[in-house]
Amino acid sequence: MPIALVLERKRELALRDIELNQKMGEDDVRIRMEVVGICGSDIHYYMHGRIGPFVVNEPMVLGHEGAGTVVAKGARVTGLAVGDRVCVEPGIPDFSSRASRLGLYNLDPTLTFWATPPVHGCLTPEVVHPAALTFKLPDNVSLAEGAMVEPLAVGVQAAVKARIQPGDQALVLGAGPIGILVALAALAGGCASVLIVDPQEAKLHIAETYSGIKALRASNGTLAEEVKRATGGWGVDVVFECSGAGAAYRGIADSLRPGGALVLVGMPGKPVELDIVALQVKEIRVETVFRYANVYDRAIAMIAGGKIDVKPLITETFKFEDGVAAFVRAAEGRPTDVKLQIRVKPEHEIET
């Protein structure tokens, strides 16, 4: 019986044995998990026991940002070999569904997603996963970087939805892990510069270590006034809302140029007020993001090609036996923490 990091119930974690369905099919691979990132959704389940309709009613293994090594493969798997270093796309759709046939497999109503009740996650030494959703890592991409592909994929999805044109200027609301990765994806996708705002100064300092990202501090007026000063009175081409804060929606159209795009990435905890008329009079295009589809290859290529450096965002890495402490630390929400990761195999076997 495998050991795993198990959420027993709200605010109670245990590193213990648990029965998992690890049967491998002909189109699957078995992966030795090696590095797993802690996501905001993992913390939300830990702290609150639910996200919207998804409720932790029984013990659940956490983790969905994973990278590791293929240790076995099914008879029909041809694109991967035993020993390949891989990262994993954690949502499993029905590839024959209408949504999947339209290329929208992330919206397949039957999709299951790691560490989303009642589906177990990957904070366990071995997992079985479809080969079609398992991606080989280039030699110059470490396993730690591979575990960052999942959150980066959200940023790439947002950049794709924005339909960025070369030289665009963007504004990102929220400088958490997703906000910074959205900013980096926007730059890699063609933006000339990205403005970013956040109430935590420490997060702005982290974001500003990247060339092309400039923090805005609304000390001399409203955010919209600061944006207009930074854009010659015109406004930005794209606003990415990544905070999930209801207050972020107040006056959100004021920062956009006429004909700009509003991309909603963060998920508010409850309904928010949005001034539709303010969007209409500028003909603002509104796009929404729910996870990602068909962008994992792009995210990996951006890291491998040096377009996006995720290494500075990995704040600290914990041993597997210290997994509970890692979640306690993540739940503190330290302003200087961006991404915490857990090594699932012994430290001396993990590449740096």
Side-chain angles (χ1 to χ4, degrees):
M1 188 179 296
I3 193 170
L5 189 61
V6 181
L7 178 61
E8 307 284 9
R9 57 188 62 83
K10 183 172 70 174
R11 295 179 180 270
E12 184 178 332
L13 285 168
L15 194 62
R16 65 168 176 87
D17 294 336
I18 185 172
E19 187 66 45
L20 300 173
N21 180 14
Q22 298 280 3
K23 185 177 179 181
M24 191 172 71
E26 292 184 323
D27 298 307
D28 297 333
V29 289
R30 186 179 298 276
I31 304 164
R32 183 177 68 232
M33 296 308 303
E34 304 185 43
V35 181
V36 178
I38 299 177
C39 176
S41 66
D42 293 319
I43 297 302
H44 205 87
Y45 283 124
Y46 168 55
M47 296 293 291
H48 305 289
R50 67 182 300 157
I51 297 177
F54 300 103
V55 182
V56 180
N57 291 317
E58 56 188 38
M60 179 183 76
V61 178
L62 290 168
H64 63 262
E65 301 176 2
T69 301
V70 175
V71 295
K73 66 174 188 172
R76 290 202 294 254
V77 175
T78 58
L80 293 168
V82 172
D84 282 347
R85 300 158 54 260
V86 296
C87 64
V88 182
E89 185 168 346
I92 306 174
D94 172 3
F95 284 111
S96 67
S97 72
R98 188 168 184 176
S100 293
R101 293 198 305 272
L102 290 170
L104 305 172
Y105 62 85
N106 59 317
L107 306 181
D108 173 22
T110 67
L111 180 140
T112 59
F113 198 89
W114 277 355
T116 300
V119 181
H120 290 300
C122 64
L123 270 165
T124 188
E126 285 191 356
V127 297
V128 171
H129 202 65
L133 296 166
T134 304
F135 297 80
K136 184 177 179 180
L137 294 173
D139 291 342
N140 67 331
V141 177
S142 70
L143 289 166
E145 291 170 293
M148 290 291 290
V149 171
E150 196 279 337
L152 176 57
V154 177
V156 177
Q157 179 84 350
V160 169
K161 286 294 194 78
R163 304 178 205 166
I164 293 167
Q165 297 295 312
D168 274 355
Q169 192 166 18
L171 169 66
V172 174
L173 307 180
I178 293 298
I180 294 176
L181 288 169
V182 165
L184 294 175
L187 287 170
C191 278
S193 62
V194 176
L195 306 172
I196 194 166
V197 295
D198 194 280
Q200 294 184 320
E201 187 66 26
K203 298 215 177 288
L204 294 179
H205 283 306
I206 294 168
E208 282 193 304
T209 62
Y210 286 97
S211 177
I213 299 179
K214 178 183 178 182
L216 277 189
R217 299 165 176 86
S219 56
N220 299 320
T222 66
L223 173 61
E225 290 170 341
E226 291 291 318
V227 170
K228 288 179 179 178
R229 271 192 283 271
T231 60
W234 178 236
V236 293
D237 301 283
V238 186
V239 168
F240 295 97
E241 203 306 287
C242 300
S243 70
Y249 287 81
R250 291 197 290 269
I252 199 167
D254 297 339
S255 295
L256 278 158
R257 67 162 174 85
L262 172 60
V263 183
L264 306 179
V265 185
M267 287 189 166
K270 56 185 178 180
V272 299
E273 292 187 8
L274 181 61
D275 188 341
I276 300 299
V277 174
L279 299 175
Q280 287 177 313
V281 297
K282 287 185 173 181
E283 289 198 349
I284 299 301
R285 175 170 53 88
V286 180
E287 298 280 357
T288 58
V289 170
F290 184 63
R291 297 172 180 155
Y292 36 74
N294 304 305
V295 299
Y296 249 61
D297 286 327
R298 297 185 188 200
I300 294 168
M302 286 178 177
I303 295 174
K307 295 293 185 181
I308 293 179
D309 183 6
V310 297
K311 294 188 293 294
L313 303 180
I314 302 170
T315 306
E316 191 166 335
T317 305
F318 292 76
K319 297 178 181 178
F320 191 37
E321 55 266 36
D322 297 327
V324 175
F327 268 80
V328 171
R329 160 80 169 269
E332 293 176 10
R334 298 184 187 181
T336 53
D337 285 350
V338 181
K339 179 60 64 177
L340 303 180
Q341 293 184 333
I342 295 174
R343 294 187 178 102
V344 183
K345 71 174 186 176
E347 184 174 5
H348 69 275
E349 296 181 15
I350 288 284
E351 59 183 313
T352 57

PDB file of all heavy atoms in Angstrom, residues 271-295:
ATOM      1  N   PRO A 271     -20.102  35.910  -6.051  1.00  0.00           N
ATOM      2  CA  PRO A 271     -20.408  36.773  -7.205  1.00  0.00           C
ATOM      3  C   PRO A 271     -19.892  38.195  -7.010  1.00  0.00           C
ATOM      4  O   PRO A 271     -19.860  38.715  -5.892  1.00  0.00           O
ATOM      5  CB  PRO A 271     -21.944  36.740  -7.257  1.00  0.00           C
ATOM      6  CG  PRO A 271     -22.315  35.424  -6.652  1.00  0.00           C
ATOM      7  CD  PRO A 271     -21.311  35.201  -5.557  1.00  0.00           C
ATOM      8  N   VAL A 272     -19.485  38.818  -8.121  1.00  0.00           N
ATOM      9  CA  VAL A 272     -18.936  40.171  -8.079  1.00  0.00           C
ATOM     10  C   VAL A 272     -19.778  41.088  -8.963  1.00  0.00           C
ATOM     11  O   VAL A 272     -20.512  40.637  -9.844  1.00  0.00           O
ATOM     12  CB  VAL A 272     -17.475  40.195  -8.568  1.00  0.00           C
ATOM     13  CG1 VAL A 272     -16.595  39.330  -7.685  1.00  0.00           C
ATOM     14  CG2 VAL A 272     -17.378  39.753 -10.026  1.00  0.00           C
ATOM     15  N   GLU A 273     -19.674  42.382  -8.715  1.00  0.00           N
ATOM     16  CA  GLU A 273     -20.358  43.378  -9.530  1.00  0.00           C
ATOM     17  C   GLU A 273     -19.439  43.847 -10.647  1.00  0.00           C
ATOM     18  O   GLU A 273     -18.278  44.175 -10.412  1.00  0.00           O
ATOM     19  CB  GLU A 273     -20.783  44.567  -8.673  1.00  0.00           C
ATOM     20  CG  GLU A 273     -21.877  44.233  -7.675  1.00  0.00           C
ATOM     21  CD  GLU A 273     -22.387  45.468  -6.952  1.00  0.00           C
ATOM     22  OE1 GLU A 273     -21.987  46.589  -7.343  1.00  0.00           O
ATOM     23  OE2 GLU A 273     -23.179  45.313  -6.010  1.00  0.00           O
ATOM     24  N   LEU A 274     -19.968  43.862 -11.863  1.00  0.00           N
ATOM     25  CA  LEU A 274     -19.190  44.289 -13.022  1.00  0.00           C
ATOM     26  C   LEU A 274     -20.019  45.280 -13.837  1.00  0.00           C
ATOM     27  O   LEU A 274     -21.172  44.989 -14.184  1.00  0.00           O
ATOM     28  CB  LEU A 274     -18.823  43.077 -13.884  1.00  0.00           C
ATOM     29  CG  LEU A 274     -17.983  43.337 -15.138  1.00  0.00           C
ATOM     30  CD1 LEU A 274     -16.642  43.956 -14.773  1.00  0.00           C
ATOM     31  CD2 LEU A 274     -17.765  42.043 -15.919  1.00  0.00           C
ATOM     32  N   ASP A 275     -19.447  46.445 -14.120  1.00  0.00           N
ATOM     33  CA  ASP A 275     -20.143  47.495 -14.856  1.00  0.00           C
ATOM     34  C   ASP A 275     -20.139  47.146 -16.350  1.00  0.00           C
ATOM     35  O   ASP A 275     -19.170  47.402 -17.063  1.00  0.00           O
ATOM     36  CB  ASP A 275     -19.443  48.836 -14.618  1.00  0.00           C
ATOM     37  CG  ASP A 275     -20.216  50.018 -15.199  1.00  0.00           C
ATOM     38  OD1 ASP A 275     -21.067  49.802 -16.073  1.00  0.00           O
ATOM     39  OD2 ASP A 275     -19.947  51.160 -14.771  1.00  0.00           O
ATOM     40  N   ILE A 276     -21.218  46.553 -16.820  1.00  0.00           N
ATOM     41  CA  ILE A 276     -21.303  46.115 -18.202  1.00  0.00           C
ATOM     42  C   ILE A 276     -21.303  47.305 -19.162  1.00  0.00           C
ATOM     43  O   ILE A 276     -20.671  47.259 -20.227  1.00  0.00           O
ATOM     44  CB  ILE A 276     -22.571  45.261 -18.423  1.00  0.00           C
ATOM     45  CG1 ILE A 276     -22.538  44.024 -17.510  1.00  0.00           C
ATOM     46  CG2 ILE A 276     -22.704  44.841 -19.884  1.00  0.00           C
ATOM     47  CD1 ILE A 276     -21.374  43.097 -17.757  1.00  0.00           C
ATOM     48  N   VAL A 277     -21.987  48.379 -18.803  1.00  0.00           N
ATOM     49  CA  VAL A 277     -22.045  49.540 -19.691  1.00  0.00           C
ATOM     50  C   VAL A 277     -20.659  50.109 -19.923  1.00  0.00           C
ATOM     51  O   VAL A 277     -20.300  50.501 -21.050  1.00  0.00           O
ATOM     52  CB  VAL A 277     -23.004  50.613 -19.124  1.00  0.00           C
ATOM     53  CG1 VAL A 277     -22.938  51.884 -19.968  1.00  0.00           C
ATOM     54  CG2 VAL A 277     -24.429  50.076 -19.075  1.00  0.00           C
ATOM     55  N   ALA A 278     -19.841  50.157 -18.875  1.00  0.00           N
ATOM     56  CA  ALA A 278     -18.478  50.661 -19.020  1.00  0.00           C
ATOM     57  C   ALA A 278     -17.676  49.812 -20.006  1.00  0.00           C
ATOM     58  O   ALA A 278     -16.812  50.329 -20.730  1.00  0.00           O
ATOM     59  CB  ALA A 278     -17.775  50.686 -17.665  1.00  0.00           C
ATOM     60  N   LEU A 279     -17.983  48.516 -20.058  1.00  0.00           N
ATOM     61  CA  LEU A 279     -17.337  47.651 -21.035  1.00  0.00           C
ATOM     62  C   LEU A 279     -17.906  47.875 -22.431  1.00  0.00           C
ATOM     63  O   LEU A 279     -17.182  47.903 -23.423  1.00  0.00           O
ATOM     64  CB  LEU A 279     -17.515  46.181 -20.636  1.00  0.00           C
ATOM     65  CG  LEU A 279     -16.913  45.751 -19.290  1.00  0.00           C
ATOM     66  CD1 LEU A 279     -17.288  44.305 -18.989  1.00  0.00           C
ATOM     67  CD2 LEU A 279     -15.391  45.899 -19.296  1.00  0.00           C
ATOM     68  N   GLN A 280     -19.227  48.061 -22.482  1.00  0.00           N
ATOM     69  CA  GLN A 280     -19.880  48.219 -23.785  1.00  0.00           C
ATOM     70  C   GLN A 280     -19.430  49.480 -24.525  1.00  0.00           C
ATOM     71  O   GLN A 280     -19.196  49.448 -25.739  1.00  0.00           O
ATOM     72  CB  GLN A 280     -21.404  48.255 -23.606  1.00  0.00           C
ATOM     73  CG  GLN A 280     -22.013  46.898 -23.268  1.00  0.00           C
ATOM     74  CD  GLN A 280     -23.502  46.992 -23.031  1.00  0.00           C
ATOM     75  OE1 GLN A 280     -23.949  47.876 -22.299  1.00  0.00           O
ATOM     76  NE2 GLN A 280     -24.266  46.093 -23.630  1.00  0.00           N
ATOM     77  N   VAL A 281     -19.329  50.583 -23.811  1.00  0.00           N
ATOM     78  CA  VAL A 281     -19.021  51.842 -24.500  1.00  0.00           C
ATOM     79  C   VAL A 281     -17.598  51.865 -25.048  1.00  0.00           C
ATOM     80  O   VAL A 281     -17.259  52.714 -25.879  1.00  0.00           O
ATOM     81  CB  VAL A 281     -19.260  53.066 -23.578  1.00  0.00           C
ATOM     82  CG1 VAL A 281     -20.729  53.162 -23.177  1.00  0.00           C
ATOM     83  CG2 VAL A 281     -18.359  53.007 -22.351  1.00  0.00           C
ATOM     84  N   LYS A 282     -16.763  50.949 -24.580  1.00  0.00           N
ATOM     85  CA  LYS A 282     -15.421  50.794 -25.146  1.00  0.00           C
ATOM     86  C   LYS A 282     -15.307  49.541 -26.023  1.00  0.00           C
ATOM     87  O   LYS A 282     -14.227  49.259 -26.553  1.00  0.00           O
ATOM     88  CB  LYS A 282     -14.369  50.705 -24.024  1.00  0.00           C
ATOM     89  CG  LYS A 282     -14.082  52.010 -23.312  1.00  0.00           C
ATOM     90  CD  LYS A 282     -12.929  51.799 -22.327  1.00  0.00           C
ATOM     91  CE  LYS A 282     -12.480  53.104 -21.696  1.00  0.00           C
ATOM     92  NZ  LYS A 282     -11.352  52.892 -20.749  1.00  0.00           N
ATOM     93  N   GLU A 283     -16.403  48.825 -26.164  1.00  0.00           N
ATOM     94  CA  GLU A 283     -16.399  47.546 -26.876  1.00  0.00           C
ATOM     95  C   GLU A 283     -15.260  46.651 -26.386  1.00  0.00           C
ATOM     96  O   GLU A 283     -14.466  46.098 -27.160  1.00  0.00           O
ATOM     97  CB  GLU A 283     -16.318  47.735 -28.390  1.00  0.00           C
ATOM     98  CG  GLU A 283     -17.611  48.298 -28.978  1.00  0.00           C
ATOM     99  CD  GLU A 283     -17.728  48.104 -30.487  1.00  0.00           C
ATOM    100  OE1 GLU A 283     -16.729  47.711 -31.139  1.00  0.00           O
ATOM    101  OE2 GLU A 283     -18.838  48.352 -31.007  1.00  0.00           O
ATOM    102  N   ILE A 284     -15.204  46.489 -25.087  1.00  0.00           N
ATOM    103  CA  ILE A 284     -14.196  45.639 -24.475  1.00  0.00           C
ATOM    104  C   ILE A 284     -14.561  44.176 -24.713  1.00  0.00           C
ATOM    105  O   ILE A 284     -15.696  43.759 -24.481  1.00  0.00           O
ATOM    106  CB  ILE A 284     -14.085  45.913 -22.959  1.00  0.00           C
ATOM    107  CG1 ILE A 284     -13.681  47.371 -22.696  1.00  0.00           C
ATOM    108  CG2 ILE A 284     -13.103  44.948 -22.304  1.00  0.00           C
ATOM    109  CD1 ILE A 284     -12.376  47.779 -23.312  1.00  0.00           C
ATOM    110  N   ARG A 285     -13.608  43.402 -25.149  1.00  0.00           N
ATOM    111  CA  ARG A 285     -13.806  41.962 -25.332  1.00  0.00           C
ATOM    112  C   ARG A 285     -13.486  41.258 -24.015  1.00  0.00           C
ATOM    113  O   ARG A 285     -12.413  41.469 -23.442  1.00  0.00           O
ATOM    114  CB  ARG A 285     -12.893  41.448 -26.453  1.00  0.00           C
ATOM    115  CG  ARG A 285     -12.924  39.930 -26.638  1.00  0.00           C
ATOM    116  CD  ARG A 285     -12.198  39.542 -27.925  1.00  0.00           C
ATOM    117  NE  ARG A 285     -10.857  40.105 -27.975  1.00  0.00           N
ATOM    118  CZ  ARG A 285      -9.766  39.512 -27.465  1.00  0.00           C
ATOM    119  NH1 ARG A 285      -9.872  38.356 -26.828  1.00  0.00           N
ATOM    120  NH2 ARG A 285      -8.596  40.093 -27.570  1.00  0.00           N
ATOM    121  N   VAL A 286     -14.401  40.432 -23.536  1.00  0.00           N
ATOM    122  CA  VAL A 286     -14.219  39.728 -22.270  1.00  0.00           C
ATOM    123  C   VAL A 286     -13.957  38.251 -22.542  1.00  0.00           C
ATOM    124  O   VAL A 286     -14.723  37.591 -23.260  1.00  0.00           O
ATOM    125  CB  VAL A 286     -15.448  39.884 -21.352  1.00  0.00           C
ATOM    126  CG1 VAL A 286     -15.238  39.130 -20.038  1.00  0.00           C
ATOM    127  CG2 VAL A 286     -15.730  41.361 -21.079  1.00  0.00           C
ATOM    128  N   GLU A 287     -12.862  37.738 -21.978  1.00  0.00           N
ATOM    129  CA  GLU A 287     -12.507  36.322 -22.103  1.00  0.00           C
ATOM    130  C   GLU A 287     -12.381  35.725 -20.703  1.00  0.00           C
ATOM    131  O   GLU A 287     -12.022  36.425 -19.746  1.00  0.00           O
ATOM    132  CB  GLU A 287     -11.170  36.153 -22.838  1.00  0.00           C
ATOM    133  CG  GLU A 287     -11.149  36.666 -24.260  1.00  0.00           C
ATOM    134  CD  GLU A 287     -11.778  35.699 -25.246  1.00  0.00           C
ATOM    135  OE1 GLU A 287     -12.181  34.583 -24.827  1.00  0.00           O
ATOM    136  OE2 GLU A 287     -11.868  36.048 -26.430  1.00  0.00           O
ATOM    137  N   THR A 288     -12.677  34.448 -20.577  1.00  0.00           N
ATOM    138  CA  THR A 288     -12.530  33.762 -19.300  1.00  0.00           C
ATOM    139  C   THR A 288     -11.584  32.580 -19.460  1.00  0.00           C
ATOM    140  O   THR A 288     -11.424  32.031 -20.553  1.00  0.00           O
ATOM    141  CB  THR A 288     -13.889  33.263 -18.774  1.00  0.00           C
ATOM    142  OG1 THR A 288     -14.483  32.387 -19.741  1.00  0.00           O
ATOM    143  CG2 THR A 288     -14.828  34.437 -18.519  1.00  0.00           C
ATOM    144  N   VAL A 289     -10.957  32.206 -18.347  1.00  0.00           N
ATOM    145  CA  VAL A 289      -9.990  31.111 -18.344  1.00  0.00           C
ATOM    146  C   VAL A 289     -10.396  30.092 -17.296  1.00  0.00           C
ATOM    147  O   VAL A 289     -10.637  30.441 -16.134  1.00  0.00           O
ATOM    148  CB  VAL A 289      -8.565  31.642 -18.036  1.00  0.00           C
ATOM    149  CG1 VAL A 289      -7.604  30.490 -17.791  1.00  0.00           C
ATOM    150  CG2 VAL A 289      -8.065  32.519 -19.177  1.00  0.00           C
ATOM    151  N   PHE A 290     -10.470  28.833 -17.706  1.00  0.00           N
ATOM    152  CA  PHE A 290     -10.661  27.726 -16.766  1.00  0.00           C
ATOM    153  C   PHE A 290      -9.586  26.689 -17.046  1.00  0.00           C
ATOM    154  O   PHE A 290      -9.663  25.934 -18.018  1.00  0.00           O
ATOM    155  CB  PHE A 290     -12.052  27.116 -16.906  1.00  0.00           C
ATOM    156  CG  PHE A 290     -12.320  26.027 -15.893  1.00  0.00           C
ATOM    157  CD1 PHE A 290     -12.330  26.312 -14.537  1.00  0.00           C
ATOM    158  CD2 PHE A 290     -12.544  24.724 -16.299  1.00  0.00           C
ATOM    159  CE1 PHE A 290     -12.569  25.315 -13.593  1.00  0.00           C
ATOM    160  CE2 PHE A 290     -12.793  23.727 -15.363  1.00  0.00           C
ATOM    161  CZ  PHE A 290     -12.794  24.019 -14.016  1.00  0.00           C
ATOM    162  N   ARG A 291      -8.548  26.712 -16.232  1.00  0.00           N
ATOM    163  CA  ARG A 291      -7.394  25.836 -16.409  1.00  0.00           C
ATOM    164  C   ARG A 291      -6.749  26.084 -17.772  1.00  0.00           C
ATOM    165  O   ARG A 291      -6.302  27.192 -18.041  1.00  0.00           O
ATOM    166  CB  ARG A 291      -7.788  24.368 -16.194  1.00  0.00           C
ATOM    167  CG  ARG A 291      -8.263  24.101 -14.761  1.00  0.00           C
ATOM    168  CD  ARG A 291      -8.831  22.712 -14.594  1.00  0.00           C
ATOM    169  NE  ARG A 291      -9.278  22.484 -13.228  1.00  0.00           N
ATOM    170  CZ  ARG A 291     -10.212  21.605 -12.885  1.00  0.00           C
ATOM    171  NH1 ARG A 291     -10.806  20.863 -13.813  1.00  0.00           N
ATOM    172  NH2 ARG A 291     -10.565  21.455 -11.626  1.00  0.00           N
ATOM    173  N   TYR A 292      -6.737  25.093 -18.675  1.00  0.00           N
ATOM    174  CA  TYR A 292      -5.981  25.211 -19.926  1.00  0.00           C
ATOM    175  C   TYR A 292      -6.326  24.037 -20.826  1.00  0.00           C
ATOM    176  O   TYR A 292      -6.861  23.012 -20.396  1.00  0.00           O
ATOM    177  CB  TYR A 292      -4.462  25.186 -19.644  1.00  0.00           C
ATOM    178  CG  TYR A 292      -4.138  24.252 -18.506  1.00  0.00           C
ATOM    179  CD1 TYR A 292      -4.181  22.870 -18.679  1.00  0.00           C
ATOM    180  CD2 TYR A 292      -3.874  24.729 -17.239  1.00  0.00           C
ATOM    181  CE1 TYR A 292      -3.960  22.009 -17.625  1.00  0.00           C
ATOM    182  CE2 TYR A 292      -3.653  23.875 -16.178  1.00  0.00           C
ATOM    183  CZ  TYR A 292      -3.697  22.507 -16.374  1.00  0.00           C
ATOM    184  OH  TYR A 292      -3.498  21.654 -15.329  1.00  0.00           O
ATOM    185  N   ALA A 293      -6.021  24.189 -22.099  1.00  0.00           N
ATOM    186  CA  ALA A 293      -6.165  23.106 -23.075  1.00  0.00           C
ATOM    187  C   ALA A 293      -5.200  23.361 -24.219  1.00  0.00           C
ATOM    188  O   ALA A 293      -5.086  24.486 -24.705  1.00  0.00           O
ATOM    189  CB  ALA A 293      -7.603  23.014 -23.596  1.00  0.00           C
ATOM    190  N   ASN A 294      -4.481  22.319 -24.606  1.00  0.00           N
ATOM    191  CA  ASN A 294      -3.603  22.368 -25.779  1.00  0.00           C
ATOM    192  C   ASN A 294      -2.466  23.386 -25.650  1.00  0.00           C
ATOM    193  O   ASN A 294      -2.027  23.949 -26.664  1.00  0.00           O
ATOM    194  CB  ASN A 294      -4.426  22.677 -27.047  1.00  0.00           C
ATOM    195  CG  ASN A 294      -5.553  21.692 -27.261  1.00  0.00           C
ATOM    196  OD1 ASN A 294      -5.328  20.490 -27.317  1.00  0.00           O
ATOM    197  ND2 ASN A 294      -6.780  22.191 -27.355  1.00  0.00           N
ATOM    198  N   VAL A 295      -1.991  23.620 -24.442  1.00  0.00           N
ATOM    199  CA  VAL A 295      -0.900  24.588 -24.277  1.00  0.00           C
ATOM    200  C   VAL A 295       0.310  24.020 -23.534  1.00  0.00           C
ATOM    201  O   VAL A 295       1.313  24.724 -23.383  1.00  0.00           O
ATOM    202  CB  VAL A 295      -1.385  25.870 -23.541  1.00  0.00           C
ATOM    203  CG1 VAL A 295      -2.480  26.567 -24.331  1.00  0.00           C
ATOM    204  CG2 VAL A 295      -1.846  25.565 -22.123  1.00  0.00           C
TER     205      VAL A 295
END
